[in-house]
Amino acid sequence: MNAGFVEVADRVYVRREPLLRVNVTLVVGDDEALLVDTLSSAAQATELATAVRAVTDRPLTLVNTHHHYDHCFGNAVLAGDPPRPVYAHELAAAALRTEPERLRREAYEEVRTEHPALAAELADTPLLAPTHTVRIETSLDLGGRRVLLRHPGRGHTEADLVVHVPDADVLVAGDLVEQSGPPAFEDSYPLQWPDAVADLLRLTTARTVVVPGHGDPVDVDFVRAQHAELVRLAWLIRAAHTGSAPPERVAAEAPFGARAALIAARRGYSELDGEA
């Protein structure tokens, strides 16, 4: 079923892919439209393109919030030929340009047990690296509407971008904020993640709609609460590392559940040991 977009603010639409609950955001200006994230496979991206054209026929610019497969493997289908601009952080663009088969292999291994059909799809999906890169921030004019792409620092990955639509008071946070489950720490920088969320919070007001990477849109209070949990997690990691406690000690006490916290603790220990 090709589920459509839901308007969450003036000419800002969100569509949730049902399998992994990934959010895609469509921002429509007078001259162009911006599509934030492109899903996991050519098949998903083809359905997404149909949903986009049900909302607008304006030329698309694409943004990848980071380089994980569920946010960027649909680039080639949605960019078209010749490709429309695709923006990402410079490190995300480099990963997709220089190591596409590693990213594909890791994605396949991640989903093949629980989602074998998706694994087969992404194994055959052509990958397109971003054509335009962002180091700190870039402003785009969609025609009567300015949109800010900003790298708030390391967090979920080393290459996260958030997308701010000031006139609509919407912030697309990517996987720096999660609603449908705990944050994913496999490629993360848990000691720096709180600072990244603090940075994106500076773009918000009391009424901002925040679109997480997965799950339902949230308000600023939700983001502040998750930020407090990330701060506590980082403190526990530092304290345990200083006391030479095993990462499992952190997992027993930390927010987000034992499995996620153990991954975070191991990543944090690597940061503190200079290995990340």
Side-chain angles (χ1 to χ4, degrees):
M1 182 179 72
N2 187 359
F5 282 92
V6 174
E7 190 170 16
V8 298
D10 177 36
R11 295 176 295 153
V12 180
Y13 306 83
V14 175
R15 178 181 184 267
R16 186 187 310 146
E17 184 280 317
L19 187 64
L20 301 178
R21 304 193 73 188
V22 184
N23 286 320
V24 176
T25 303
L26 177 64
V27 184
V28 180
D30 293 339
D31 301 326
E32 298 185 11
L34 187 74
L35 188 69
V36 185
D37 288 335
T38 63
L39 300 179
S40 303
S41 70
Q44 287 187 358
T46 299
E47 285 194 357
L48 176 57
T50 300
V52 167
R53 290 311 172 205
V55 175
T56 182
D57 61 359
R58 288 169 176 76
L60 284 180
T61 293
L62 308 181
V63 177
N64 300 147
T65 57
H66 57 293
H67 54 285
H68 288 162
Y69 71 96
D70 49 337
H71 297 264
C72 66
F73 273 23
N75 283 357
V77 168
L78 286 151
D81 186 15
R84 294 286 302 166
V86 183
Y87 284 81
H89 185 267
E90 60 187 8
L91 295 177
L96 280 159
R97 183 175 61 253
T98 63
E99 300 183 283
E101 293 312 311
R102 176 184 67 81
L103 296 176
R104 187 196 306 276
R105 183 173 62 254
E106 290 175 355
Y108 181 87
E109 290 301 320
E110 181 177 334
V111 303
R112 68 187 181 96
T113 300
E114 292 188 18
H115 306 294
L118 177 60
E121 287 178 16
L122 63 83
D124 293 329
T125 290
L127 303 186
L128 175 68
T131 58
H132 294 64
T133 61
V134 179
R135 176 169 293 177
I136 302 297
E137 65 180 37
T138 294
S139 182
L140 302 179
D141 184 357
L142 303 181
R145 167 166 267 182
R146 185 181 69 86
V147 175
L148 179 72
L149 314 183
R150 178 167 175 80
H151 172 56
R154 288 172 162 180
H156 174 65
T157 70
E158 64 183 352
D160 299 300
L161 284 186
V162 301
V163 179
H164 185 215
V165 190
D167 70 276
D169 205 359
V170 172
L171 182 70
V172 184
D175 285 1
L176 285 167
V177 176
E178 295 288 29
Q179 187 276 332
S180 63
F185 290 102
E186 284 80 0
D187 293 329
S188 73
Y189 295 81
L191 305 183
Q192 300 173 59
W193 198 328
D195 292 337
V197 175
D199 185 277
L200 70 84
L201 276 167
R202 285 191 281 271
L203 298 172
T204 65
T205 73
R207 296 175 299 280
T208 302
V209 175
V210 179
V211 182
H214 301 250
D216 298 329
V218 299
D219 60 17
V220 174
D221 287 342
F222 179 97
V223 180
R224 289 193 181 115
Q226 194 159 97
H227 175 255
E229 291 183 309
L230 289 164
V231 169
R232 173 167 168 74
L233 174 62
W235 183 87
L236 287 168
I237 291 170
R238 291 183 186 278
H241 185 271
T242 299
S244 300
E248 288 77 9
R249 179 77 57 82
V250 177
E253 302 177 20
F256 305 122
R259 180 184 178 278
L262 180 58
I263 296 169
R266 288 171 174 163
R267 289 286 300 181
Y269 277 32
S270 293
E271 285 186 76
L272 292 166
D273 293 336
E275 299 170 1

